[in-house]
Amino acid sequence: MGSAQSVPPEMRALAERTGFTSEQIEQLHRRFKQLSHNRKTIRARIVHAFFDKRNLRKAPAGLAEEINFEDFLTIMSYFRPIEMDMDEERLESFRKEKLKFLFHMYDADYDGIITLQEYKNVLDELMSGNPHLEKESLRAIAEGAMLEAASACMARTGPDEVYEGITFEDFLKVWKGIDIETKMHVRFLTMEAIAHCY
Amino acid sequence: MGAAALRALPWALLLLLGPLLPGQRLQADATRVSEPTWEQPWGEPGGITAAPLATAQEVHPLNKQHHNHSAEGHPKPRKAFPVLGIDYSHVRIPFEISLWILLACLMKMGFHVMSSVSKVVPESCLLIVVGLLVGGLIKAVGEKPPILKSDIFFLFLLPPIILDAGYFLPLRQFTENLGTILIFAVVGTLWNAFFLGGLMYAVCQIGGSGLNHIGLLANLLFGSIISAVDPVAVLAVFEEIHINELLHILVFGESLLNDAVTVVLYHLFEEFANFEQVTIIDMVLGFLSFFVVSLGGVFVGVIYGLIAAFTSRFTSNIRVIEPLFVFLYSYMAYLSAEIFHLSGIMALIASGVVMRPYVEANISHKSHTTIKYFLKMWSSVSETLIFIFLGVSTVAGQHYWNWTFVISTLLFCLIARVLGVLVLTWFINKFRIVKLTPKDQFIIAYGGLRGAIAFSLCYLLDYEHFNMRDMFLTAIITVIFFTVFVQGMTIRPLVDLLAVKKKQETKRSINEEIHTQFLDHLLTGIEDICGHYGHHHWKDKLNRFNKKYVKKCLIAGERSKEPQLIAFYHKMEMKQAIELVESGGLGKIPSTISAVSIQNISPKTLPDSNALSALSKDKEDEIRKILRSNLQKTRQRLRSYNRHTLVADPYEDVWNQMLMKRQKMQQAELQNAYLTVPANRIDSPTMSRARIGSDPLAYEPKPDSENLPIITIDPASPQSPESMDLSNEVPKGCGGLPPSPEEDEEGLVMRPKEPSSPGTDDVFTPGTSDSPSSQRMLRCLSDPGPRQEPEEGEPFIPKGQ
């Protein structure tokens, strides 16, 4: 990963841009320096997401080769918790940002649409910890999910049109029932949750 | 209709109560009447005063004497054989119990008939009013109305409600908010108890001669009884207003968990009131006992829950008694906790929560339904009975009304609650990510209802040590009435007024489930990156432990290895399939998943997925027919919006004929089904005519369609006749596709299709090579193999299957 930067005057600018406090930035910084791989099943995807240029707001597609601390913070800022004093509009844009991040994680080929294959890949990775699974179930589930999403958007497309995949608007619709803003956040509360080297 | 029911109500009441009254009088008279029987020999033939026969058993010792008496002298006249006799005392107790329960159920029914009233007034209020009426009636007749005995309440009426709440507790929200709930339950209740007790003591000192003798401890005891938020009342009121899940779980969780605090405080002050002096040691012990009571209760519950889960693993051959295990083990947990003065409510909740995931994986679908409905039924009846009895006890109990005491109790209760919630929320919001807004705080404070638990606890007080018990009772009843009536009635308009977020009535979809799991993993990963041992980290660890060790022990057979997503998916499919069959298949299919499901589940029949494995082949065919007929109807409906047929509508009949012809054509090609890439499409004559009629530009193939695999969603496309042979295809892969080598890896739509004109319906291409696979593909998405005739008059699968 990129080089570490810890210059205090820049921190303020960083803090403003990403919304973290300086303590949180320090903590993340420490962690950034001693990053080791995580053992989660979708780890490749998560790591990928850090390098995804769309998330870094640099370009509509492609992977960055290295990211610096600023970029790291940019990504982490997607996981900010909401604040009490946000108004409706900010809340809405906040929500959209988070959902866009998720969307980019699903959509691996940068075309703005989640196709069935991409969806299946996601499911495969999710279930990868489970060797007893048959491919059939995964296939069925992926198709079922796509169908559901499609039927939710059927009104929009004509019945004979070809349904290519889930676009961002459809994605938003699916997520309407779940309040993402309350779920997609990580606590940076305690300073003693310091990284353990492992 | 409502008015008629209203008029009928009092008569129904009288009818029901009729037997009640003579029954009581009967028992009272029995002892008196037995005396004269002794005097007079059985002189009256067929003497059908109920008394002599009813008291047959009691008369035995008297009878013997009577026998001697008569044996000495005159010949004993023979009594006629009683053709019809009355023996009420024999069945008195069960009879009366049944009458009360029947009354409760009729009341519930009546409220739903008179729906206009029940929209304004919550059911609990109506029930209390009915109780008052019934109590008044009984008193007016001269009898003594029954009072809600604490034993009956705690042992029989309360457990079903708590078990129902615990078994169906929404665990996710509960654990997410556990910290908040605990703080409200423990600290909030303690604050309420001490604040109220202290203030009432001050009032008593100032309040004049009638109150001066009430000591500090008695007041503290009173405070601890009345400070607990009551789960029954909260459930009754909150159920009807449908607020959002967060608030619901906060108030409800608080009402459940504060039982431990109440139990400890109650026993503490009850004991202390007998001591002359309270030392520090006693207080420390009291503090310790709190932990013992709460954690002990949970421990007992967990043990019983695990035992129940383990038992359910072996019940695959005796499905009918599976629900009993759940009920009995939970009840035993409650009783066992009560033996040791531990918190029975927490034991009950813990056992329900622990046993549920494992039991549900093991038991049959029918047992699951049974458990659900029995719990709902019992808890509903219990709740109704509790409120009715509250009303009756109000009339029946002895009251001692002291204006100062009662009014100040009421006032301080409200103040304590509001203050407590405000202070605690301020404290809690420092730690919460999703802060509690003032609106939320208001609802939480307003939802602190008191109920029958407070009443019963007070009733348990020993009269000798607490001679002001009547005054306490009166005050408690006043507070209960106030909270239930005033707060219960006004909370609904207030919720609307404040525009509090309501519960979203969405069904869990498979998409949501996938996304939620994805999010969980993502957040765990991010937490790892931050090096933060957060919420998700521990949840993940717990899940892994669960999967690795616990599930293997407690879940029978194959299901133990099933990941949650798959289990959820299966459950949902089964539900939809059953729904479809039950609804007679006449409506539009909610989603086309069900069609996929039937073919997909059968190859993997789990040993105890009874619903579908029990379906024989012809029933499966029937299901398919139903689905097909629906899909065709949907299809026909959709067709009218089809932009091709807007022009080409007259071709609809031709369309159907084409289908039939094509099917006959392709019957010959059953064997060559399994090719892969669909080649060039040949338009059906219909389609070409249609296309000419509409906008030619619309048929530009999309630029990237070569690279993108696409799904054609055509839910109602009629299918090829290969489906006739479904019995062979069913065991194979997705949607009955035979496992051709190329297809095996990719399944449904993975091959890039030739850039066909997007407007073309795949079905109508009579090309030989592509149509089977494309139709198979479509068949996967929709309905398997129809025969042409829509058979609506078909007998559906008989219910009960």
Side-chain angles (χ1 to χ4, degrees):
Chain A
M1 311 240 176
S3 53
Q5 301 175 355
S6 50
V7 183
E10 292 190 2
M11 256 222 289
R12 233 171 295 131
L14 267 181
E16 264 181 42
R17 214 160 51 85
T18 55
F20 290 132
T21 70
S22 43
E23 308 162 321
Q24 293 170 343
I25 293 187
E26 262 193 37
Q27 190 185 348
L28 284 173
H29 184 77
R30 242 175 287 147
R31 190 63 184 136
F32 181 76
K33 280 197 273 197
Q34 30 160 287
L35 209 49
S36 61
H37 23 252
N38 59 61
R39 294 175 260 102
K40 298 303 157 268
T41 49
I42 49 174
R43 65 174 158 182
R45 235 172 235 277
I46 299 180
V47 175
H48 230 125
F50 273 80
F51 287 86
D52 193 334
K53 281 221 181 111
R54 293 175 292 181
N55 293 335
L56 298 172
R57 303 183 194 156
K58 286 191 187 152
L63 284 180
E65 285 181 358
E66 53 173 38
I67 59 174
N68 56 17
F69 185 56
E70 199 177 298
D71 299 324
F72 182 66
L73 275 189
T74 315
I75 303 286
M76 294 309 283
S77 73
Y78 284 110
F79 292 93
R80 245 181 316 161
I82 59 172
E83 291 138 32
M84 278 261 271
D85 50 357
M86 280 184 171
D87 54 358
E88 263 310 308
E89 197 192 296
R90 263 206 80 190
L91 209 57
E92 189 55 38
S93 72
F94 206 55
R95 193 168 190 272
K96 260 201 168 150
E97 266 184 32
K98 298 197 186 222
L99 282 175
K100 232 184 166 62
F101 182 79
L102 265 188
F103 189 74
H104 291 158
M105 284 196 78
Y106 278 94
D107 178 25
D109 59 359
Y110 312 107
D111 59 359
I113 300 183
I114 304 178
T115 59
L116 189 65
Q117 181 56 34
E118 288 170 345
Y119 211 44
K120 271 197 204 168
N121 291 343
V122 171
L123 266 180
D124 270 335
E125 287 175 11
L126 264 184
M127 297 285 140
S128 65
N130 203 307
H132 304 273
L133 216 43
E134 300 167 18
K135 296 220 164 190
E136 305 311 327
S137 345
L138 280 184
R139 221 181 296 174
I141 294 182
E143 280 149 22
M146 282 294 273
L147 274 179
E148 231 180 55
S151 58
C153 321
M154 264 293 265
R156 214 166 37 85
T157 66
D160 278 349
E161 263 181 20
V162 154
Y163 187 74
E164 293 177 359
I166 307 181
T167 63
F168 187 52
E169 285 78 34
D170 305 341
F171 196 64
L172 280 179
K173 253 189 252 178
V174 172
W175 276 92
K176 229 192 318 193
I178 323 176
D179 6 312
I180 182 90
E181 57 262 17
T182 59
K183 293 210 173 151
M184 184 164 154
H185 58 73
V186 181
R187 294 164 179 259
F188 294 100
L189 289 171
T190 46
M191 290 302 284
E192 58 257 28
I194 301 302
H196 289 116
C197 303
Y198 50 86
Chain B
M1 179 26 181
L6 194 51
R7 261 177 274 133
L9 220 47
W11 299 114
L13 277 177
L14 275 179
L15 211 60
L16 287 175
L17 293 174
L20 255 182
L21 311 174
Q24 291 183 315
R25 198 178 295 127
L26 214 50
Q27 209 48 22
D29 293 343
T31 38
R32 282 184 312 199
V33 174
S34 57
E35 300 294 317
T37 352
W38 182 47
E39 303 288 318
Q40 303 152 11
W42 302 82
E44 298 125 317
I48 314 187
T49 42
L53 296 164
T55 58
Q57 278 88 354
E58 280 131 84
V59 169
H60 257 307
L62 304 168
N63 224 350
K64 262 207 295 226
Q65 293 169 315
H66 167 261
H67 205 67
N68 294 337
H69 185 83
S70 60
E72 286 163 1
H74 11 200
K76 154 169 68 116
R78 226 182 53 146
K79 164 171 74 65
F81 183 78
V83 176
L84 184 67
I86 301 182
D87 185 2
Y88 183 65
S89 69
H90 189 58
V91 296
R92 185 172 155 245
I93 296 185
F95 194 79
E96 288 183 357
I97 295 179
S98 311
L99 265 185
W100 279 109
I101 301 184
L102 194 58
L103 175 71
C105 300
L106 285 175
M107 286 303 110
K108 244 182 138 57
M109 206 174 67
F111 294 147
H112 286 281
V113 168
M114 314 187 304
S115 56
S116 55
V117 183
S118 63
K119 281 207 192 83
V120 178
V121 185
E123 233 178 68
S124 39
C125 303
L126 289 173
L127 287 170
I128 293 187
V129 169
V130 167
L132 285 172
L133 283 175
V134 170
L137 237 94
I138 298 186
K139 212 169 196 179
V141 188
E143 293 299 325
K144 195 168 166 340
I147 296 194
L148 179 64
K149 293 214 178 41
S150 297
D151 271 348
I152 299 184
F153 176 74
F154 278 115
L155 291 181
F156 298 115
L157 290 179
L158 190 61
I161 302 180
I162 305 294
L163 180 59
D164 179 37
Y167 197 76
F168 294 110
L169 197 65
L171 201 55
R172 210 192 169 91
Q173 277 106 346
F174 188 72
T175 46
E176 277 175 13
N177 294 301
L178 193 58
T180 314
I181 294 179
L182 274 177
I183 291 188
F184 272 127
V186 176
V187 180
T189 314
L190 280 174
W191 156 260
N192 274 350
F194 281 104
F195 183 76
L196 193 65
L199 276 182
M200 289 315 294
Y201 180 61
V203 164
C204 284
Q205 299 298 56
I206 317 175
S209 58
L211 302 174
N212 269 343
H213 59 285
I214 308 180
L216 176 63
L217 280 172
N219 274 309
L220 282 177
L221 180 60
F222 176 69
S224 68
I225 292 178
I226 202 170
S227 63
V229 177
D230 188 79
V232 181
V234 164
L235 255 184
V237 169
F238 271 46
E239 198 96 322
E240 302 183 353
I241 60 178
H242 297 300
I243 53 170
N244 61 6
E245 290 167 342
L246 173 67
L247 285 179
H248 184 102
I249 198 70
L250 280 181
V251 182
F252 185 59
E254 177 194 345
S255 69
L256 287 176
L257 293 186
N258 67 15
D259 178 63
V261 180
T262 311
V263 165
V264 169
L265 283 179
Y266 181 79
H267 286 297
L268 205 68
F269 290 132
E270 208 188 9
E271 288 294 318
F272 283 5
N274 300 337
F275 298 170
E276 285 81 42
Q277 229 195 4
V278 178
T279 64
I280 296 286
I281 305 252
D282 295 326
M283 290 208 265
V284 168
L285 285 179
F287 183 67
L288 276 182
S289 79
F290 167 68
F291 288 104
V292 169
V293 163
S294 53
L295 294 176
V298 171
F299 179 70
V300 169
V302 167
I303 297 282
Y304 273 99
L306 289 175
I307 298 180
F310 190 66
T311 314
S312 73
R313 187 179 164 181
F314 303 106
T315 57
S316 43
N317 295 321
I318 31 160
R319 294 282 179 196
V320 277
I321 63 174
E322 271 171 344
L324 257 187
F325 280 121
V326 172
F327 300 143
L328 284 176
Y329 276 116
S330 312
Y331 195 46
M332 293 280 291
Y334 180 76
L335 294 176
S336 311
E338 288 287 327
I339 295 179
F340 300 104
H341 278 308
L342 304 173
S343 165
I345 290 187
M346 295 190 85
L348 206 47
I349 304 260
S351 80
V353 162
V354 163
M355 78 167 75
R356 183 175 177 203
Y358 308 111
V359 161
E360 292 215 332
N362 282 333
I363 61 179
S364 71
H365 186 77
K366 282 187 196 158
S367 299
H368 172 80
T369 312
T370 310
I371 292 181
K372 185 163 96 162
Y373 278 106
F374 257 87
L375 279 179
K376 298 281 176 210
M377 178 186 81
W378 268 330
S379 70
S380 177
V381 167
S382 260
E383 196 181 294
T384 316
L385 271 178
I386 288 180
F387 282 116
I388 291 188
F389 267 115
L390 256 183
V392 174
S393 310
T394 311
V395 174
Q398 296 166 305
H399 294 291
Y400 182 81
W401 180 272
N402 183 312
W403 276 102
T404 336
F405 194 77
V406 174
I407 298 293
S408 46
T409 306
L410 192 55
L411 218 64
F412 291 137
C413 257
L414 294 173
I415 296 179
R417 175 85 182 153
V418 170
L419 273 182
V421 170
L422 280 177
V423 170
L424 285 178
T425 326
W426 173 81
F427 178 68
I428 288 174
N429 269 343
K430 292 188 197 270
F431 297 99
R432 275 182 71 92
I433 300 278
V434 181
K435 316 250 182 248
L436 293 174
T437 65
K439 257 196 260 173
D440 295 336
Q441 294 172 33
F442 176 74
I443 297 287
I444 294 178
Y446 209 66
L449 306 172
R450 314 304 202 263
I453 290 188
F455 179 83
S456 310
L457 279 178
C458 184
Y459 203 73
L460 273 178
L461 282 179
D462 195 358
Y463 218 19
E464 298 158 15
H465 289 135
F466 300 98
N467 54 353
M468 69 294 285
R469 189 187 86 169
D470 291 332
M471 191 166 66
F472 285 174
L473 264 177
T474 315
I476 289 183
I477 287 191
T478 315
V479 174
I480 294 180
F481 272 37
F482 182 81
T483 55
V484 172
F485 277 92
V486 174
Q487 285 179 255
M489 267 201 273
T490 55
I491 200 171
R492 203 192 310 213
L494 273 175
V495 161
D496 290 332
L497 194 68
L498 293 175
V500 179
K501 249 201 306 178
K502 294 246 182 131
K503 180 154 73 153
Q504 290 163 324
E505 301 284 351
T506 49
K507 262 196 308 193
R508 288 271 284 184
S509 68
I510 185 76
N511 265 314
E512 271 186 38
E513 184 73 18
I514 294 180
H515 291 316
T516 316
Q517 275 217 349
F518 187 81
L519 200 56
D520 271 343
H521 282 266
L522 173 64
L523 289 175
T524 319
I526 298 283
E527 274 188 1
D528 245 10
I529 292 182
C530 302
H532 176 74
Y533 285 142
H535 193 68
H536 292 272
H537 180 92
W538 295 116
K539 208 158 46 146
D540 193 53
K541 270 209 155 102
L542 185 65
N543 275 339
R544 268 201 247 165
F545 172 73
N546 190 13
K547 214 192 310 195
K548 213 161 148 208
Y549 299 110
V550 184
K551 272 195 183 166
K552 291 222 179 92
C553 299
L554 296 179
I555 300 187
E558 276 308 302
R559 306 276 310 247
S560 61
K561 306 206 194 74
E562 202 177 49
Q564 185 196 353
L565 192 57
I566 309 287
F568 178 80
Y569 184 64
H570 282 153
K571 224 196 297 193
M572 228 187 49
E573 286 184 335
M574 233 187 299
K575 222 195 311 188
Q576 279 183 344
I578 293 182
E579 253 175 41
L580 187 61
V581 170
E582 274 186 1
S583 73
L586 282 178
K588 183 166 175 325
I589 297 184
S591 95
T592 44
I593 293 184
S594 38
V596 193
S597 67
I598 293 176
Q599 287 171 304
N600 276 322
I601 287 193
S602 3
K604 299 189 290 293
T605 26
L606 306 164
D608 37 7
S609 60
N610 291 345
L612 285 175
S613 60
L615 289 176
S616 64
K617 252 274 284 111
D618 25 311
K619 290 203 182 97
E620 240 185 318
D621 284 339
E622 276 190 48
I623 297 186
R624 285 200 200 101
K625 276 187 229 153
I626 298 165
L627 289 174
R628 198 189 327 132
S629 66
N630 269 323
L631 290 170
Q632 283 190 332
K633 273 189 281 192
T634 319
R635 174 67 174 152
Q636 276 146 24
R637 223 179 313 144
L638 274 180
R639 288 201 36 68
S640 45
Y641 299 115
N642 187 329
R643 63 173 171 233
H644 310 306
T645 54
L646 274 180
V647 180
D649 226 357
Y651 296 118
E652 192 143 59
D653 289 337
V654 185
W655 184 288
N656 291 338
Q657 284 171 21
M658 289 278 329
L659 286 178
M660 284 202 284
K661 248 193 281 174
R662 210 173 34 82
Q663 279 178 6
K664 291 194 193 106
M665 240 176 16
Q666 286 167 349
Q667 264 189 12
E669 302 170 28
L670 266 175
Q671 312 313 318
N672 317 333
Y674 314 135
L675 295 185
T676 60
V677 182
N680 308 314
R681 345 214 102 236
I682 311 172
D683 288 325
S684 68
T686 322
M687 287 321 300
S688 37
R689 251 173 295 180
R691 194 185 311 141
I692 294 173
S694 343
D695 179 10
L697 282 179
Y699 300 93
E700 276 307 302
K702 293 213 172 73
D704 281 347
S705 54
E706 299 187 350
N707 305 328
L708 282 179
I710 47 185
I711 303 179
T712 317
I713 307 282
D714 196 2
S717 50
Q719 298 307 317
S720 82
E722 299 159 320
S723 48
M724 302 283 205
D725 236 311
L726 269 171
S727 47
N728 298 335
E729 301 191 36
V730 158
K732 298 187 191 111
C734 159
L737 285 175
S740 57
E742 308 91 305
E743 286 193 7
D744 209 26
E745 278 314 292
E746 310 183 76
L748 192 47
V749 279
M750 286 312 95
R751 52 196 52 77
K753 292 176 84 59
E754 299 302 303
S756 56
S757 37
T760 309
D761 230 347
D762 286 340
V763 183
F764 303 105
T765 57
T768 53
S769 51
D770 64 330
S771 44
S773 66
S774 60
Q775 275 142 24
R776 213 175 314 118
M777 171 186 80
L778 293 171
R779 199 190 329 134
C780 279
L781 298 176
S782 61
D783 150 49
R787 273 170 265 130
Q788 189 43 35
E789 337 79 62
E791 289 152 355
E792 300 174 63
E794 274 270 293
F796 299 128
I797 296 194
K799 287 213 164 73
Q801 284 301 313

